[in-house]
């Protein structure tokens, strides 16, 4: 029997949506290994987030205290390692978010565990569970076996539907003694980008622009606001300094899976497609009929975006 520990995240006391995808992966894994699932959450004054997580049928170990008020990989890794030991966990799973990518490798090092990142799906039963993960910008999918007694991995949140609400969860305190002064890292400041728009990775609709915009995102941002969407961009647009780098979608940017992805002036390089091919409906606007983006688009508009996007906005308004 292999117990599973799910690493949950909160921001400003709110449970992050990606944690429910990590929980879904943990629950699926436990069905395959015959183990029990528990979750761990750390913070200061985050009882409500712990309760929200428990409402999905999981026993939550909650570490609260001033040392956990601000996220630091060093202090949170100590919490997760303690929770893994308390739960007798053979598997530790978190979401491949910015925080998860920072934290889980450190947890693996502490536990002497083999690790896999960005897992897409699981297969096999008992001791023979295998993890599928992308390599080469998603062109190859590898099946990976972790052979250490404790195993750690992150999952791509867009590949696991959030765990549904379920009875039977609970919250219990997890005592972990972490002295802020004894840490080798120190929280200085968190500079948050404030936006009225939804978070890119959680948005239902994403409107993205590339080099074809020539740096003019005005109409695209307008379309995004008309649709209540987040704005994304290709790396070419980000590297040119036209838009902030947290808008970048792709292999080295964010992975998104919205209901609708509008790609305007984006050619569809594999590194960009790696970050958005999970979208349910892809609309491409490109003036080059040969652009590779049309190979994955559900709807393709061969047009000049400076003409097509204002027309789209107008017709959306008319409806
Ligand atoms: C290791 C590595 C990692 C990378 N990671 C990423 C990543 O995370 N995300 C990412 O996006 N890229 C990434 N890239 C870069 C990637 O290879 C491409 O260079 C990049 O995606 C191209 O961006 P683009 O489509 O905006 O530009 P281009 O490829 O130059 O395409 C611009 C498109 O706009 C069209 N166009 C021009 N004018 C108009 C107009 N008026 N109306 C309509 N269409 C027009 C053109 O026909 C063209 O198809 C990475 C590359 C490497 C090597």
């Amino acid at each position: 029997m292999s117990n599973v520990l799910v690493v949950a995240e909160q921001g400003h006391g709110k449970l992050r949506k990606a944690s429910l995808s990590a929980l879904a992966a943990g629950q699926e894994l436990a069905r395959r290994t015959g183990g029990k699932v528990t979750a761990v959450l750390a913070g200061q004054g985050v009882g409500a987030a712990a309760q929200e997580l428990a409402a999905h049928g999981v026993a939550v170990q909650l570490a609260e205290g001033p040392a956990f008020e601000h996220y630091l990989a060093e202090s949170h890794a100590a919490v997760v390692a303690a929770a893994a030991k308390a739960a007798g966990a053979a598997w530790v799973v978190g979401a491949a978010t910015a925080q998860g990518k920072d934290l889980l490798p450190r947890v693996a090092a502490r536990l002497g565990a083999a690790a896999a990142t960005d897992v897409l799906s699981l297969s096999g039963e008992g001791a023979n569970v295998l993890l599928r993960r992308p390599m080469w910008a998603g062109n190859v999918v590898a099946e990976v076996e972790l052979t250490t007694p404790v195993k750690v991995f992150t999952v791509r949140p867009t590949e696991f539907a959030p765990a549904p609400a379920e009875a039977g969860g609970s919250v219990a305190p997890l005592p972990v003694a972490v002295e802020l002064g004894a840490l080798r890292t120190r929280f200085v400041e968190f500079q948050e980008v404030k936006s009225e728009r939804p978070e890119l990775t959680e948005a239902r609709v994403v409107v993205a622009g590339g080099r074809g915009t020539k740096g003019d995102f005005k109409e695209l941002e307008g379309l995004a606001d008309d649709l209540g969407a987040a704005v994304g961009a290709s790396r070419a647009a980000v590297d040119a300094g036209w838009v902030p780098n947290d808008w970048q979608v792709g292999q080295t940017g964010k992975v998104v899976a919205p209901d609708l992805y509008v790609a305007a002036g984006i050619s569809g390089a594999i590194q960009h497609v790696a970050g958005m091919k999970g979208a349910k409906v892809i609309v491409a606007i490109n003036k080059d009929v040969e652009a590779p983006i049309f190979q994955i688009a559900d709807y393709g508009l061969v047009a000049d975006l400076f003409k097509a996007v204002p027309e789209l906005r107008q017709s959306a308004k008319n409806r």
Side-chain angles (χ1 to χ4, degrees):
M1 193 168 89
S2 294
N3 290 339
V4 178
L5 177 72
V6 174
V7 182
E9 293 178 29
Q10 51 81 27
H12 301 305
K14 288 212 174 75
L15 186 69
R16 292 212 175 109
K17 199 175 138 199
S19 299
L20 295 180
S21 296
L23 177 59
Q27 288 170 333
E28 182 189 334
L29 177 60
R31 282 193 291 276
R32 292 176 180 278
T33 63
K36 223 177 105 215
V37 189
T38 54
V40 60
L41 183 73
Q44 167 86 308
V46 295
Q51 291 297 346
E52 190 186 339
L53 183 59
H56 295 265
V58 67
V60 181
Q61 306 184 58
L62 174 61
E64 284 201 287
F68 313 122
E69 183 178 0
H70 301 292
Y71 168 76
L72 282 177
E74 198 182 351
S75 57
H76 279 57
V79 170
V80 177
K85 288 194 180 126
W91 293 85
V92 178
V93 51
T97 53
Q99 184 173 313
K101 287 176 189 171
D102 186 44
L103 177 61
L104 274 290
R106 192 178 270 260
V107 169
R110 265 183 169 260
L111 298 174
T117 56
D118 221 12
V119 167
L120 306 175
S121 65
L122 317 173
S123 63
E125 305 290 326
N128 301 315
V129 170
L130 298 176
L131 312 172
R132 289 176 68 251
R133 63 180 301 273
M135 292 165 61
W136 300 99
N139 279 345
V140 176
V141 176
E143 258 190 343
V144 182
E145 182 185 5
L146 304 181
T147 55
T148 45
V150 179
K151 309 161 204 343
V152 171
F153 66 97
T154 58
V155 294
R156 188 178 285 187
T158 52
E159 299 294 318
F160 292 86
E166 205 181 307
S170 59
V171 178
L174 174 72
V176 185
V178 171
E179 284 295 322
L180 268 181
L183 298 177
R184 283 166 298 176
T185 44
R186 184 166 62 87
F187 174 82
V188 178
E189 183 187 9
F190 184 59
Q191 288 188 357
E192 195 171 15
V193 180
K194 293 248 187 282
S195 170
E196 295 293 308
R197 298 193 182 114
E199 215 283 307
L200 187 53
T201 55
E202 302 197 347
R204 219 174 40 77
V205 181
V206 173
V207 176
R211 204 191 315 262
T213 62
K214 298 181 179 62
D216 181 357
F217 268 63
K218 203 167 135 270
E219 285 295 330
L220 285 184
E221 290 193 50
L223 177 62
D225 292 337
D226 294 346
L227 301 174
V231 185
S234 70
R235 178 158 157 183
V238 170
D239 284 354
W242 296 337
V243 293
N245 61 8
D246 62 347
W247 286 14
Q248 186 179 319
V249 172
Q251 183 192 339
T252 42
K254 290 180 175 163
V255 176
V256 299
D259 292 342
L260 173 64
Y261 189 90
V262 181
I266 292 177
S267 60
I270 53 165
Q271 295 91 351
H272 185 80
V273 170
M276 45 65 84
K277 65 172 184 251
K280 286 203 183 83
V281 175
I282 297 170
V283 174
I285 305 169
N286 197 303
K287 64 180 185 184
D288 176 9
V289 70
E290 303 285 338
I293 192 82
F294 288 128
Q295 289 166 19
I296 58 151
D298 299 285
Y299 298 93
L301 201 54
V302 182
D304 184 328
L305 71 91
F306 294 105
K307 196 163 168 289
V309 176
E311 282 174 8
L312 256 180
R313 291 188 67 192
Q314 193 53 52
S315 82
K317 275 200 185 105
N318 293 345
R319 278 156 188 260

